[in-house]
Amino acid sequence: MTPQAADALLFADALACELAVPAEFVALAPAEPQRHQQHAAAVLAALAQIEDARRDGDDEHDESPAAARRLEAKLDLLLGLFGRLLREREGAPPARALRWSTRGARLRQRVDAAPGASGLLRLQAAAWLPETLELPAQVLAAGDEAVWLRFAPAPAELADALERHLFRLHRREIAQARRPRRSP
């Protein structure tokens, strides 16, 4: 499959996001894709719950006490520090350009895997969360600078959680694009 055909298959008429995150594709035969999918669904569900609670607290009528907001800010800092230390210790993958949808992903990584090879797309779902998502995937196409991956058929729970996560990321991309840029 050509890279253009893979792009069309993965992203045509689909909500897709582009960002740079610690991510890598590891070619291997996933013995238990369900285990990886269940874990990914649980991580995405917890992440959604946390981010939705934070968004609800951002209302202009926020009546939460200042002490609770300070405590949340301290926890954010501690989680960020813990995540950075853990990534340094475990040798987390470098940040790479990733475009993904619920169907699959294009990752800027050179991979020595033939189309049809199975493996895992490992990525960090949130900057403050050291947990890595491992999504079973199959190589559609590989080029000198990128690999196109189709996600394994996912249970409804993971498909819904992934769609929700991508929607939140897309909404953030739009909000950042609309923010006025400050001149130096």
Side-chain angles (χ1 to χ4, degrees):
M1 179 175 290
T2 67
Q4 294 81 7
D7 259 357
L9 180 69
L10 297 175
F11 307 118
D13 299 324
L15 177 66
C17 295
E18 290 193 47
L19 60 159
V21 294
E24 68 182 344
F25 175 71
V26 180
L28 53 92
E32 299 178 41
Q34 297 85 7
R35 181 176 55 92
H36 295 289
Q37 290 172 331
Q38 289 170 344
H39 184 259
V43 169
L44 289 172
L47 184 60
Q49 190 172 25
I50 291 167
E51 289 184 348
D52 287 349
R54 285 182 180 175
R55 190 181 72 236
D56 292 343
D58 288 342
D59 288 346
E60 59 189 56
H61 305 295
D62 185 12
E63 297 177 9
S64 60
R69 289 192 304 270
R70 283 193 305 270
L71 182 59
E72 185 175 299
K74 288 177 184 179
L75 284 172
D76 286 346
L77 289 172
L78 284 173
L79 283 171
L81 175 63
F82 177 70
R84 189 174 71 230
L85 291 173
L86 190 60
R87 285 188 300 276
E88 288 173 3
R89 181 175 166 225
E90 292 186 354
R96 293 187 167 104
L98 172 74
R99 182 172 190 202
W100 60 324
S101 72
T102 56
R103 298 176 193 157
R106 179 184 65 224
L107 180 64
R108 294 284 175 205
Q109 176 186 355
R110 185 179 175 96
V111 174
D112 293 326
S118 295
L120 295 172
L121 173 63
R122 298 178 62 229
L123 66 104
Q124 187 177 350
W128 55 269
L129 183 66
E131 188 68 31
T132 301
L133 289 180
E134 294 182 339
L135 300 168
Q138 184 179 44
V139 175
L140 287 176
D144 289 338
E145 297 179 13
V147 61
W148 286 259
L149 307 166
R150 181 184 352 208
F151 294 143
E157 179 184 21
L158 175 57
D160 291 344
L162 187 57
E163 189 171 334
R164 232 177 124 187
H165 183 69
L166 287 167
F167 179 76
R168 278 194 311 279
L169 292 174
H170 182 70
R171 191 174 57 208
R172 271 189 223 133
E173 279 181 336
I174 292 171
Q176 287 176 351
R178 289 183 179 167
R179 285 189 187 136
R181 299 181 197 261
R182 296 182 189 176
S183 58

